[in-house]
C-alpha cells in the first residue's frame, strides 16, 4: 500500500521523463516532509555524479526520499511496536503512546486523532491503522515537540500582583548595535515587542524645535524622535501579548519638553495609556496583569502621591514643574554616571570610580536637583521609579507601587552578601537590573543569577545574540510566551527563607534522565564542501548554583544528515522551578575549537516526557 500511495503522488511528475534538482525539491515538499536544501542537494548530486545530465528517474527519486525521510531510529521504534512490521494497529499505537510517550488519559481518543491527522494513505486511515509513512509524519510533528503543549498558551494564574511575576525586559531598546557610536532605530522596539518583551526602555533628551529625542546620551549613537518611538509602540504593543507593557523612561528632558512627552503619550496611546488607578486610590497592593490587560504603564520619577496626581488631572491643573532632589551615587554602576566617565576619555574606555577602593561608598553621593513636569509625573501610576538606598530603607519607607533599578555590579554583590534580604525585597517591590555601563559592545550578563533572587525585570540588550539572550528566550517561551511568568511561591512569600546558595526546605528535588538519540539534517559545517559535519551535543542546566550542570556527547564523525549518539545523561535538580535546560549542537572543527550549529532552551518544568 505504501508503494502504491507513493507512486500515485509522484508518477505524474515523471510523465515527461526525468526531473532536475528544483523539481525534486518541489516534489519532496508536496510529500510534506521536513527538508534541508543542503542535504537534498548533496544526496541528489551523489546520484547524478557520474552521469552526463543532472536529472533523475523515478527509482532515483525513491532512493533520495528513503535516504532523507526513512530514518533508521524511527523504523526501529515502529518495528518494536508493529507485529507485522508494516502497520501499527490502533491498539499497537495506544501501547506506544502509553509506554514511550507516557500518555495516561484518553489514549484511545489520542491514537485515533493522530491517525486522522498524520496518516497520508487513505485506505490505511479508514482501517484506523498507521503506516510507517504516517508514523514518520507524527514523530516529526509539533505533537512530538519536547515542549509541553499546555505551556504554549497562558496557563498560569494571572491574578497575582505585578511584583509576583518575572517580566520580559529590554535595556536601551532603541539601540540595535553597540552603545557608543551605533544606530538608534525604531526596529529595536518592533523586534523586542514582537518577541513578547513587556518592559522597554526609552532614553529621552531635549531635541530642537521643542521635539524630544531618543538616543544614548553623551555618545555618538544616532537620534530618533520620541514621537516616532511612541507611534511604533502604539502599533506593536500587543502583537505578541495581551498583558501590560511598561515604558521605562530614562528622562533627561527639560520640564518644557517633558510636557511635550506627556502630550504625545496621551494623544498617541489614547485609551491604552493607564492614567488612573484600577479601584481604590489608596494603593496597598499592585494590580494584576489580568486587570491591566492591554494597558501601557509609564515608569518614571513621580512627584507626590497617586491621589494628588489624580486630583490634579481632574482639575486640569497642568503645566507646572516641581523640583525633586535625586541623590546620584557615583559609586553605583548607574547608567548615566557610567557614560559620563566613559565617553570623553578617548584612550582606553576606563572608568575611574570602578577600581578605587571606597570604604564608605555612601559619602560619594551628590545631590542633583531635577525638575519634573507634573503633566508627565501624573501619568505615573503603579510604576514609580525610586532611587535604591538599602534593603532596610526600602522595607521601612518604600510603597508597593515604587520600584528600583539596580546596576548589575551592585546587584551581584547583594546576591553574594545579602541574598535573603534581596529575596525579601523582590517579594515586595518590582526590581529592575540593568547592564553595567562599561558593556559598550552591548554584551549581556547572565540573567539567571538575578532571576534566582526573584528580580522581576532583568533587562538585557535584545539585539545581542549569545547564551544570555538564549536563556532569556528559553525562559519566556513559558506561559504562552506572554512575557509574564509567575514566580515560584518561595520568591513571592515575604517571609521566605529561600536563598539560591541555601535552598533549604524549598528544594523540590527532581531526577531527570535525558537520552540523546540522534540528529537529522543538521546544518553542514562551514568548512565542509559537501553536507558533512562532526557533531556533538551539549546538555546544560542553568538554575541555582548547585543545579548548574554541563554534559556532552561523543563526536560523530562526518555525518550531519543522520548522526546517532544514543547517550543517556542523568541529573538531580534541587529547584526545578527555576531551572532551564539548554541543548547546543556543535561541529568539532579541531581539538580546541567547535563551530556552533544550533541550540534550543526551555524551562525544565516545560519539558515533556517521552
Amino acid at each position: 500500500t505504501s508503494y502504491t500511495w507513493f507512486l500515485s503522488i509522484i508518477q505524474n511528475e515523471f510523465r515527461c521523463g526525468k526531473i532536475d534538482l528544483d523539481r525534486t525539491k518541489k516534489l519532496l515538499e508536496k510529500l510534506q516532509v521536513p527538508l534541508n536544501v543542503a542535504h537534498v542537494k548533496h544526496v541528489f548530486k551523489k546520484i547524478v555524479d557520474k552521469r552526463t545530465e543532472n536529472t533523475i528517474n523515478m527509482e532515483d527519486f525513491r532512493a533520495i526520499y528513503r535516504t532523507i525521510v526513512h530514518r533508521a531510529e524511527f523504523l526501529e521504534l515502529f518495528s518494536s511496536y508493529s507485529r507485522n512490521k508494516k502497520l501499527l494497529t490502533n491498539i499497537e499505537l495506544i501501547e506506544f503512546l502509553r509506554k514511550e510517550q507516557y500518555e495516561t488519559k484518553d489514549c484511545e481518543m489520542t491514537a485515533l486523532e493522530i491517525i486522522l491527522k498524520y496518516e497520508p494513505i487513505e485506505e490505511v486511515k479508514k482501517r484506523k491503522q498507521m503506516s510507517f509513512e504516517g508514523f514518520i509524519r507524527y514523530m516529526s510533528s509539533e505533537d512530538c515537540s519536547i515542549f509541553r503543549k499546555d505551556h504554549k498558551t497562558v496557563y498560569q494564574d494571572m491574578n497575582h500582583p505585578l511584583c509576583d511575576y518575572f517580566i520580559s525586559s529590554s535595556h536601551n531598546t532603541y539601540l540595535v548595535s553597540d552603545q557608543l557610536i551605533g544606530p538608534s532605530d525604531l526596529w529595536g522596539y518592533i523586534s523586542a515587542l514582537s518577541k513578547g518583551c513587556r518592559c522597554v526602555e526609552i532614553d529621552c533628551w531635549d531635541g530642537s524645535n521643542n521635539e524630544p529625542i531618543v538616543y544614548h546620551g553623551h555618545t555618538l549613537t544616532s537620534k530618533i524622535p520620541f514621537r516616532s518611538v511612541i507611534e511604533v509602540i502604539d502599533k506593536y504593543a500587543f502583537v505578541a501579548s495581551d498583558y501590560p507593557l511598561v515604558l521605562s523612561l530614562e528622562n533627561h528632558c527639560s520640564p518644557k519638553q517633558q510636557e511635550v512627552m506627556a502630550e504625545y503619550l496621551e494623544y498617541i496611546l489614547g485609551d491604552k495609556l493607564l492614567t488612573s488607578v484600577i479601584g481604590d486610590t489608596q494603593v496597598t497592593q499592585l494590580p494584576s496583569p489580568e486587570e491591566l490587560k492591554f494597558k501601557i504603564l509609564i515608569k518614571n520619577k513621580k512627584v507626590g502621591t497617586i491621589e494628588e496626581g489624580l486630583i490634579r488631572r481632574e482639575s486640569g491643573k497642568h503645566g507646572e514643574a516641581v523640583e525633586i532632589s535625586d541623590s546620584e551615587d557615583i559609586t553605583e554602576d548607574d547608567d548615566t554616571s557610567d557614560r559620563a566617565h566613559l565617553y570623553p576619555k578617548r584612550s582606553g574606555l576606563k572608568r575611574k570610580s570602578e577600581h578605587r577602593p571606597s570604604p564608605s561608598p555612601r559619602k560619594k553621593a551628590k545631590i542633583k536637583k531635577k525638575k519634573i513636569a507634573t503633566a508627565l509625573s501624573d501619568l505615573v501610576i503603579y510604576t514609580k521609579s525610586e532611587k535604591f538606598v538599602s534593603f532596610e530603607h526600602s522595607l521601612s519607607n518604600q510603597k508597593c507601587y515604587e520600584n528600583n533599578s539596580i546596576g548589575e555590579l551592585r546587584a551581584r554583590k547583594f546576591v553574594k552578601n545579602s541574598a535573603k534580604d534581596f529575596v525579601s525585597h523582590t517579594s515586595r517591590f518590582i526590581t529592575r537590573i540593568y547592564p553595567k555601563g562599561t558593556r559598550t559592545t552591548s554584551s549581556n550578563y547572565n540573567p539567571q543569577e538575578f532571576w534566582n533572587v526573584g528580580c522581576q525585570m532583568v533587562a538585557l540588550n535584545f539585539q545581542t545574540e549569545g547564551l544570555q539572550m538564549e536563556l532569556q528566550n528559553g525562559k519566556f517561551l513559558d506561559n504562552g510566551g506572554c512575557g509574564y511568568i509567575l514566580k515560584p511561591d518561595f520568591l513571592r512569600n515575604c517571609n521566605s527563607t529561600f536563598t539560591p546558595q541555601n535552598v533549604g526546605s524549598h528544594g523540590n528535588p527532581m531526577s531527570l534522565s535525558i537520552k540523546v538519540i540522534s540528529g537529522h539534517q543538521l546544518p553542514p559545517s562551514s568548512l565542509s564542501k559537501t553536507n558533512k559535519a562532526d557533531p556533538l551535543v551539549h546538555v546544560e542546566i542553568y538554575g541555582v548554583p548547585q543545579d548548574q550542570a554541563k554534559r556532552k556527547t561523543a563526536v560523530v564523525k562526518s555525518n550531519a544528515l543522520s548522526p546517532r549518539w544514543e547517550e543517556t545523561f542523568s541529573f538531580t535538580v534541587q529547584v526545578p522551578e527555576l531551572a532551564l535546560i539548554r541543548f547546543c549542537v556543535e561541529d568539532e572543527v579541531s581539538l580546541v575549537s567547535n563551530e556552533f550549529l544550533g541550540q534550543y532552551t526551555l524551562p525544565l518544568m516545560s519539558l515533556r516526557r517521552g
Side-chain angles (χ1 to χ4, degrees), residues 28 32-36 68-69 136-137 140 520-521:
L28 284 168
Q32 294 178 318
V33 289
L35 58 93
N36 172 297
I68 288 174
V69 180
I136 292 166
R137 281 157 181 75
S140 316
H520 191 235
Q521 300 190 69

Side-chain angles (χ1 to χ4, degrees), residues 306-531:
I306 292 178
E307 218 167 351
E308 289 161 5
L310 293 175
I311 292 166
R312 195 165 34 228
R313 273 184 71 81
E314 274 162 33
S315 65
K317 279 185 191 158
H318 270 355
E320 69 267 33
V322 180
E323 203 163 58
I324 52 171
S325 63
D326 189 16
S327 61
E328 280 269 311
D329 178 4
I330 314 175
T331 56
E332 189 186 338
D333 43 356
D334 181 71
D335 228 7
T336 26
S337 63
D338 262 355
R339 268 197 318 276
H341 292 289
L342 266 174
Y343 211 72
K345 307 220 174 345
R346 292 295 153 102
S347 58
L349 299 164
K350 253 197 184 146
R351 259 191 67 203
K352 282 244 176 87
S353 60
E354 201 162 79
H355 310 294
R356 192 184 319 146
S358 55
S360 54
R362 291 280 141 236
K363 281 187 186 152
K364 285 268 189 329
K366 59 172 189 213
I367 302 297
K368 252 171 68 177
K369 295 281 185 202
K370 259 189 189 169
K371 281 195 165 177
I372 182 161
T374 51
L376 184 61
S377 165
D378 294 346
L379 296 181
V380 177
I381 311 290
Y382 295 119
T383 40
K384 176 187 176 185
S385 302
E386 197 56 54
K387 194 83 187 163
F388 180 76
V389 180
S390 69
F391 293 132
E392 301 74 55
H393 181 271
S394 289
L395 200 52
S396 28
N397 300 288
Q398 200 162 317
K399 298 182 178 66
C400 69
Y401 58 84
E402 295 176 329
N403 58 72
N404 313 111
S405 281
I406 306 175
E408 67 166 291
L409 295 179
R410 195 174 179 194
R412 199 168 285 123
K413 283 180 194 147
F414 290 147
V415 172
K416 196 178 158 195
N417 305 322
S418 18
K420 202 169 167 223
D421 293 335
F422 209 162
V423 169
S424 159
H425 180 83
T426 60
S427 69
R428 294 173 170 84
F429 311 111
I430 291 178
T431 305
R432 178 176 173 272
I433 309 296
Y434 58 87
K436 60 186 178 187
T438 45
R439 291 186 180 275
T440 53
T441 58
S442 301
S443 62
N444 282 314
Y445 52 83
N446 183 339
Q448 186 70 45
E449 56 180 326
F450 303 118
W451 291 328
N452 285 345
V453 288
C455 297
Q456 293 83 348
M457 296 178 167
V458 181
L460 295 177
N461 294 307
F462 269 49
Q463 74 274 33
T464 309
E465 286 183 350
L467 173 66
Q468 298 82 1
M469 265 315 286
E470 175 61 13
L471 297 180
Q472 156 81 19
N473 293 336
K475 185 171 187 69
F476 285 99
L477 282 176
D478 200 0
N479 205 26
C482 76
Y484 284 82
I485 292 169
L486 188 62
K487 300 201 286 183
D489 178 54
F490 52 80
L491 290 176
R492 304 194 309 258
N493 178 353
C494 294
N495 305 314
S496 176
T497 55
F498 172 87
T499 68
Q501 286 80 8
N502 180 13
V503 302
S505 60
H506 300 289
N508 174 22
M510 175 193 276
S511 61
L512 170 70
S513 165
I514 288 191
K515 185 178 183 186
V516 179
I517 302 167
S518 63
H520 191 235
Q521 300 190 69
L522 302 179
S525 164
S526 61
L527 301 174
S528 166
K529 289 192 169 53
T530 59
N531 67 334

Side-chain angles (χ1 to χ4, degrees), residues 2 25 107 176 302 399 528 554 570 601:
S2 281
K25 284 191 286 204
C107 275
V176 290
K302 184 177 176 69
K399 298 182 178 66
S528 166
S570 298
T601 304

